[in-house]
């Protein structure tokens, strides 16, 4: 394609500016044998069927229809210089790493926390760009939500005081020391934790390791410590910071300090600290939200639009969606002054860290140490407007079925990794799609691109949009494909997804050249770095869906098939949510040539295109069956003996899962046979099969929600109740067992949760076994 011009920014006067960008190119052997033979033959037919062209749909205008279709144009190919080529190949030739680099530079010039003028300006710039691209619809959707900010005229306070109140040390809560040009910006928000309890507290200090439930149990059960009235100090990592605060309050602490320990963020044997390397410097501080629920805290379950009821903030605190206690993040340079006060109860080996001049970590202060820790949080909450940008390219065959791609735009500071590495990739994908549209290309299904706001506060922008669209999304969305931090490191590709998408994502990564030497494709490198055995076959490891990013409400309320992906390192990137997550860090340490950004963008866009242009959705229900059986096996291994002691049987659930496995195999085998025997009704047959495939995920939505967490409704995958980042499998079962074992919960509730999962598995079986295809003429 010829060189094009595109919007990459606004000048200081608000005028549109343009930049040139390049278009870079068993025993009963007979029955077993027969079953295997049937499966193999069906798989061969299915593979031949897809290769034969049904996946491709009809060719571009003027070409013959693909076998197995009734002549509809699914948009799998595009005409270039009079010749047809697959769109997935065209993307590889026409998306460029340098374009993504230019996008990131534009996005990260200024801090753009949600609710700020700068983040609104970015929303308007993306909106204007997508309008100029000529997409069918572009919407700037606003919601008025409650956000939390530091009081810049009355900074938070964290002090070490003696028994007279004399200040022995005061932490720097106003600003991280700027280390590179641009960081000394007056609009950088002071380090804070959003929605922390406002007020002050003073008490003796206790080290709680990562602040996990097991850490608190160790302190109270093993050491018999009374934490009431204590100020606790925790390391960042392992679990969501909001769960640290929630547990600290539960165990009687009156305040919480969180710091980034060098062991995780600047290890002694690791790379240099910023600005000489990628590790966190001693003055760096991680910001972040403490909200445990998702979306606007004042309007749970409904969109934050004009005129809706907004509950008082006191109710949010009462339901423990936010902590009542003050919480403040600090640097590890400041943390040493507090941790050195602890000389009683040597911490276990896995509680030790790497603070300088502190060779051994202890847990509590000696009785003779009368010093206290004082914390004061002066943050404020305020309703502000946020802006989602949504662009639509309508499909030609199934315009009522959508494939949604989403990334959030807001950042705690500059956000070069989180989230704008993903935003920059989405902007390049949008440019590529606009070039395709100039050649009159359209997908078979509708493509939607979304730039979310206020994700950092608690997935607010995406949650409000899902609540706004509601049942429409549940009825129409084929998949939601998310990227948050598109590139946080160059080592290998990573993904989390619904099992229906496993095979599709594997195929998409096989289509993308690996940006690292030694591997041909992204798939090859992924397989070498992280893998898992799937029924005896070694494949790349795809993680289970948890939370902490924008796919959550699509999955949890509507049962939409979801994925999230990125390029990453084995260790998390150290400057997370600090002022140092900026363009300098990315261009020097993260991805200097932006080839990993390009690879991520290509996998993302090709996954979307394959869903949008394939007549029969490229989902594999057998992978879901394998995942369910893996989860059930884990449940048995972890809790089987405990359940047996309570006379609780898993046999009915096991039977339901066996039925699911059989139904998934039958459906997979049915697809090629149904198409082959219904030539004149191929599109109708495809629609029936697609309805089944889309409905499998929906079958696992329990309207009542999980115990104590009505906002999470998926009975197979949901965030852990004690770590909102991590996925919990059969969460209702695992949560109720945990409560029965540790919190006085009822074993009858465990029985009920097992039955709930069983019933929803049966729903999915009913969907897959529905015999409609027999009656298509």
């Amino acid at each position: 394609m010829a060189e094009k011009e595109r919007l990459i920014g606004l000048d200081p006067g608000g005028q549109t500016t343009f930049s040139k960008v390049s278009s870079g190119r068993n025993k009963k052997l007979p029955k077993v044998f027969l079953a295997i033979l049937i499966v193999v033959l069906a798989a061969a037919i299915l593979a031949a069927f897809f290769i034969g062209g049904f996946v491709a749909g009809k060719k571009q205008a003027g070409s013959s229809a693909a076998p197995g279709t009734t002549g509809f144009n699914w948009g799998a190919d595009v005409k270039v210089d009079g010749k047809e080529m697959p769109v997935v190949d065209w993307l590889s030739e026409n998306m460029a790493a340098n374009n993504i680099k230019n996008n990131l530079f534009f996005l990260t010039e200024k801090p753009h926390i949600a609710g700020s003028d700068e983040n609104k300006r970015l929303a308007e710039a993306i909106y204007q760009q997508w309008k100029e691209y000529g997409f069918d619809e572009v919407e700037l959707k606003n919601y008025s939500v409650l956000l939390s900010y530091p009081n810049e005229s009355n900074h938070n306070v964290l002090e070490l005081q003696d028994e007279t109140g004399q200040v022995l040390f005061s932490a720097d809560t106003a600003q991280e020391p700027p280390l590179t040009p641009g960081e000394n910006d007056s609009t950088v928000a002071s380090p804070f934790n959003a929605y922390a309890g406002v007020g002050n507290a003073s008490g003796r200090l206790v080290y709680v390791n990562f602040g996990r439930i097991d850490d608190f149990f160790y302190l109270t059960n093993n050491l018999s410590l009374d934490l009431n009235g204590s100020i606790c100090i925790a390391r960042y990592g392992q679990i969501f910071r909001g769960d640290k605060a929630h547990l600290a309050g539960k165990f009687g602490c009156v305040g919480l300090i969180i710091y980034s320990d060098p062991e995780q963020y600047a290890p002694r044997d690791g790379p240099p600290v910023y600005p000489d390397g990628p590790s966190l410097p001693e003055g760096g501080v991680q910001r972040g939200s403490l909200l445990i629920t998702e979306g606007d805290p004042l309007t749970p379950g409904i969109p934050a639009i004009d005129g809706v009821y907004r509950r008082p903030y006191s109710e949010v605190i009462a339901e423990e969606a936010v902590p009542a206690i003050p919480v403040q993040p600090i640097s590890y340079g400041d943390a040493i002054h507090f941790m050195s006060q602890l000389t009683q109860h040597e911490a276990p080996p896995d509680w030790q860290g790497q603070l300088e001049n502190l060779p051994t970590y202890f847990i509590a202060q000696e009785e003779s140490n009368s010093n206290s820790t004082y914390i004061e949080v002066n943050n404020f909450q305020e309703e502000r407007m946020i802006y989602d940008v949504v662009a639509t390219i309508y499909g030609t065959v199934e315009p009522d079925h959508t494939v949604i791609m989403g990334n959030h735009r807001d950042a705690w500071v500059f956000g070069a990794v989180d989230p704008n590495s993903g935003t920059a990739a989405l902007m390049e994908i949008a440019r590529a799609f606009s070039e395709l549209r100039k050649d009159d290309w359209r997908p078979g299904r509708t493509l939607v691109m979304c730039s979310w706001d206020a994700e950092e506060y608690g997935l607010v922008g995406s949650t409000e949009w899902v609540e706004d669209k509601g049942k429409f999304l549940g009825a129409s969305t084929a998949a939601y494909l998310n990227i948050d931090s598109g590139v946080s490191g160059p080592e290998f590709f990573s993904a989390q997804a619904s099992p229906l998408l496993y095979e599709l994502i594997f195929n998409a990564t096989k289509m993308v050249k690996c940006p690292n030497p030694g591997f041909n494709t992204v798939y090859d490198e992924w397989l070498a770095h992280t893998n898992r055995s799937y029924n005896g076959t070694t494949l790349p490891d795809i993680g289970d869906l948890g939370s902490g990013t924008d796919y959550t409400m699509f999955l949890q309320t509507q049962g939409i098939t979801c994925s999230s992906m990125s390029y990453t390192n084995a260790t998390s990137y150290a400057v997370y949510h600090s002022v140092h997550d900026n363009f300098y860090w990315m261009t020097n340490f993260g991805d200097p040539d932006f080839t990993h950004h390009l690879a991520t963008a290509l996998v993302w866009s090709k996954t979307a295109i394959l869903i949008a242009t394939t007549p029969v959705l490229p989902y594999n229900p057998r992978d879901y069956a394998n995942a369910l059986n893996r989860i059930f096996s884990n449940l048995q291994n972890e809790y089987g003996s405990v359940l047996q002691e309570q006379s609780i049987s898993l046999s009915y659930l096991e039977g339901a899962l066996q039925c699911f496995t059989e139904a998934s195999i039958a459906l997979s085998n049915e697809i090629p046979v149904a198409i082959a025997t219904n030539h004149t009704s191929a599109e109708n047959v495809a629609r029936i099969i697609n309805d089944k495939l889309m409905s499998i995920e929906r079958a696992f939505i329990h309207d009542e929600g999980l115990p104590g967490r009505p906002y999470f409704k998926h009975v197979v995958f949901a965030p852990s109740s004690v770590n909102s980042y991590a996925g919990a499998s059969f969460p209702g079962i695992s949560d109720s067992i945990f409560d029965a074992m540790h919190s006085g919960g009822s074993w009858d509730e465990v029985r009920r949760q097992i039955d709930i999962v069983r019933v929803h598995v049966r729903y999915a079986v009913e969907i897959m076994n529905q015999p409609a295809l027999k009656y298509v003429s």
Side-chain angles (χ1 to χ4, degrees):
M1 306 290 289
E3 186 173 75
K4 302 296 179 181
E5 292 190 357
R6 67 180 176 85
L7 173 71
I8 65 164
L10 301 176
D11 69 15
Q15 298 299 310
T16 304
T17 61
F18 290 85
S19 172
K20 293 279 187 179
V21 295
S22 61
S23 298
R25 300 266 165 218
N26 281 337
K27 293 183 178 178
K28 297 182 180 179
L29 293 177
K31 289 186 177 181
V32 171
F33 180 78
L34 181 60
I36 294 173
L37 181 62
I38 292 172
V39 171
V40 170
L41 289 174
I45 294 171
L46 181 61
F49 168 72
F50 280 136
I51 293 170
F54 189 68
V55 167
K58 186 191 170 186
K59 304 294 185 183
Q60 287 296 306
S63 66
S64 60
T69 71
T70 58
F72 292 115
N73 180 0
W74 280 90
D77 295 336
V78 63
K79 240 177 202 179
V80 178
D81 298 328
K83 296 181 180 179
E84 294 171 353
M85 69 183 301
V87 171
V88 290
D89 293 342
W90 183 95
L91 290 170
S92 294
E93 296 183 9
N94 289 272
M95 289 170 61
N98 198 55
N99 294 345
I100 302 176
K101 180 179 181 179
N102 292 338
N103 291 338
L104 190 66
F105 177 79
F106 162 62
L107 291 162
T108 59
E109 285 186 289
K110 300 283 291 182
H112 47 286
I113 193 170
S116 67
D117 291 340
E118 180 63 19
N119 203 44
K120 178 184 178 183
R121 186 184 76 84
L122 289 180
E124 292 171 339
I126 293 172
Y127 169 81
Q128 182 62 32
Q129 181 186 77
W130 289 359
K131 288 282 285 187
E132 293 179 7
Y133 283 166
F135 296 139
D136 297 320
E137 290 181 0
V138 182
E139 183 180 17
L140 189 65
K141 184 65 179 177
N142 60 283
Y143 301 97
S144 181
V145 301
L146 188 75
L147 302 180
S148 173
Y149 299 95
N151 188 335
E152 302 296 357
S153 63
N154 185 19
H155 292 296
N156 297 342
V157 178
L158 184 62
E159 296 174 340
L160 181 63
Q161 301 178 348
D162 67 15
E163 59 186 344
T164 68
Q166 182 73 28
V167 176
L168 304 176
F169 176 78
S170 182
D172 188 354
T173 59
Q175 183 184 31
E176 293 166 275
L179 300 176
T180 54
E183 291 183 352
N184 192 18
D185 188 303
S186 62
T187 62
V188 172
S190 297
F192 79 114
N193 288 128
Y195 305 109
V198 175
N200 61 74
S202 182
R204 296 173 66 80
L205 193 66
V206 177
Y207 173 52
V208 298
N209 195 22
F210 290 110
R212 301 166 297 190
I213 187 69
D214 290 343
D215 296 331
F216 282 102
F217 282 155
Y218 177 80
L219 296 173
T220 57
N221 297 340
N222 295 54
L223 299 184
S224 300
L225 292 182
D226 181 3
L227 301 180
N228 286 291
S230 299
I231 305 292
C232 59
I233 183 167
R235 296 191 278 179
Y236 268 120
Q238 297 292 318
I239 68 170
F240 173 54
R241 72 189 74 81
D243 292 307
K244 297 176 192 283
H246 174 74
L247 290 169
K250 279 276 193 191
F251 281 84
C253 300
V254 295
L256 169 65
I257 307 164
I258 319 178
Y259 77 99
S260 304
D261 196 282
E263 183 178 60
Q264 287 75 43
Y265 296 89
R268 295 189 190 108
D269 58 351
V273 300
Y274 181 94
D276 300 318
S279 299
L280 185 71
E282 67 174 1
V285 184
Q286 180 189 138
R287 297 153 182 79
S289 178
L290 303 175
L291 181 66
I292 292 178
T293 57
E294 318 295 2
D296 174 37
L298 301 187
T299 59
I302 58 174
I305 55 178
D306 291 345
V308 302
Y309 170 73
R310 285 169 167 79
R311 62 179 177 171
Y313 191 65
S314 58
E315 288 187 14
V316 184
I317 299 174
E319 76 171 18
E320 299 181 339
V322 297
I325 64 173
V327 183
Q328 177 64 31
I330 61 171
S331 68
Y332 63 80
D334 284 346
I336 182 65
H337 297 276
F338 296 91
M339 289 290 291
S340 61
Q341 294 293 305
L342 308 177
T343 55
Q344 187 180 47
H345 302 301
E346 182 175 333
D350 59 350
W351 287 44
Q352 299 296 323
Q354 293 185 10
L355 285 172
E356 189 174 2
N357 299 322
L358 195 66
T360 303
Y361 286 16
F362 290 84
I363 288 172
Q365 294 178 225
E366 296 281 359
E367 289 298 322
S368 59
N369 185 345
S370 58
N371 295 337
S372 63
T373 298
Y374 174 79
I375 184 172
E376 179 183 315
V377 169
N378 300 308
N379 301 343
F380 65 95
Q381 284 76 44
E382 184 173 84
E383 278 192 46
R384 291 196 185 179
M385 201 68 72
I386 62 170
Y387 301 87
D388 294 339
V389 189
V390 182
T392 303
I393 304 172
Y394 281 104
T396 57
V397 185
E398 293 184 3
D400 56 327
H401 284 168
T402 60
V403 182
I404 304 175
M405 307 173 69
N407 158 268
H408 76 94
R409 180 186 65 257
D410 66 295
W412 289 115
V413 193
F414 297 101
V417 174
D418 183 10
N420 297 136
S421 57
T423 317
L426 183 61
M427 291 171 70
E428 174 64 356
I429 292 169
R431 185 197 65 79
F433 286 172
S434 75
E435 294 298 312
L436 285 168
R437 285 290 299 119
K438 291 177 182 178
D439 292 323
D440 295 325
W441 172 87
R442 281 188 183 275
R445 296 184 181 92
T446 294
L447 282 168
V448 179
M449 291 166 287
C450 304
S451 174
W452 308 120
D453 202 348
E455 185 272 356
E456 295 292 4
Y457 280 86
L459 321 182
V460 180
S462 60
T463 297
E464 297 313 306
W465 194 74
V466 171
E467 290 172 346
D468 203 358
K469 299 298 181 181
K471 300 301 181 183
F472 168 76
L473 290 177
S476 66
T477 308
Y480 174 74
L481 311 176
N482 187 74
I483 281 188
D484 193 320
S485 301
V487 178
S488 60
E491 291 181 6
F492 56 89
F493 182 80
S494 175
Q496 303 79 43
S498 162
L500 289 172
L501 296 179
Y502 289 179
E503 187 174 302
L504 171 62
I505 296 174
F506 294 153
N507 289 337
T509 57
K510 291 175 182 178
M511 298 178 180
V512 178
K513 181 181 178 181
C514 182
N516 293 328
F519 302 95
N520 291 325
T521 68
V522 170
Y523 177 89
D524 297 330
E525 182 185 50
W526 186 16
L527 178 62
H529 276 83
T530 60
N531 54 68
R532 176 194 292 176
S533 177
Y534 297 80
N535 279 0
T537 301
T538 301
L539 295 169
D541 184 25
I542 297 184
D544 294 337
L545 295 167
S547 185
T549 193
D550 287 306
Y551 64 72
T552 301
M553 287 298 105
F554 288 90
L555 177 69
Q556 291 300 324
T557 66
Q558 303 302 323
I560 292 168
T561 299
C562 294
S563 72
S564 188
M565 57 185 67
S566 67
Y567 242 94
T568 187
N569 287 348
T571 56
S572 60
Y573 80 102
V575 296
Y576 176 65
H577 288 185
S578 76
V579 72
H580 311 303
D581 180 3
N582 54 36
F583 192 73
Y584 178 93
W585 188 93
M586 181 62 76
T587 55
N588 284 274
F589 314 117
D591 187 20
D593 58 9
F594 282 76
T595 53
H596 299 83
H597 282 76
L598 179 59
T600 302
L602 285 170
V603 175
W604 192 13
S605 58
K606 291 185 182 196
T607 302
I609 289 296
L610 289 171
I611 300 173
T613 63
T614 303
V616 173
L617 289 167
Y619 298 170
N620 190 340
R622 286 174 295 186
D623 284 338
Y624 220 126
N626 292 337
L628 288 171
N629 287 320
R630 166 177 58 84
I631 294 167
F632 180 77
S633 178
N634 292 341
L635 178 68
Q636 282 185 312
N637 292 337
E638 188 168 0
Y639 296 117
S641 59
V642 173
L643 295 175
Q644 191 172 18
E645 290 173 4
Q646 300 295 326
S647 300
I648 297 176
S649 173
L650 293 172
S651 60
Y652 284 109
L653 175 56
E654 185 175 22
L657 293 175
Q658 178 60 37
C659 291
F660 186 101
T661 299
E662 294 168 358
S664 71
I665 293 172
L667 177 58
S668 298
N669 295 341
E670 185 179 42
I671 294 173
V673 175
I675 297 298
T677 56
N678 288 279
H679 297 291
T680 60
S681 302
E683 301 298 338
N684 190 29
V685 169
R687 172 71 85 159
I688 293 171
I689 294 171
N690 289 337
D691 286 346
K692 290 188 177 188
L693 293 171
M694 285 176 58
S695 297
I696 292 171
E697 202 81 67
R698 271 74 160 172
F700 296 119
I701 296 299
H702 182 54
D703 290 340
E704 177 185 309
L706 299 178
R709 300 189 293 161
Y711 311 130
F712 300 119
K713 303 178 185 295
H714 202 288
V715 301
V716 179
F717 301 113
S720 164
S721 62
V722 292
N723 179 11
S724 298
Y725 280 158
S729 302
F730 294 159
I733 298 176
S734 59
D735 285 355
S736 61
I737 292 175
F738 183 90
D739 288 343
M741 292 175 64
H742 300 287
S743 305
S746 167
W747 288 102
D748 284 340
E749 181 62 22
V750 175
R751 294 180 174 89
R752 178 172 175 268
Q753 292 300 320
I754 292 171
D755 287 341
I756 287 172
V757 174
R758 172 195 170 201
V759 167
H760 284 274
V761 171
R762 294 175 76 250
Y763 293 159
V765 171
E766 188 74 15
I767 289 166
M768 289 187 286
N769 284 342
Q770 210 277 339
L773 287 173
K774 293 182 180 179
Y775 304 100
V776 177
S777 59

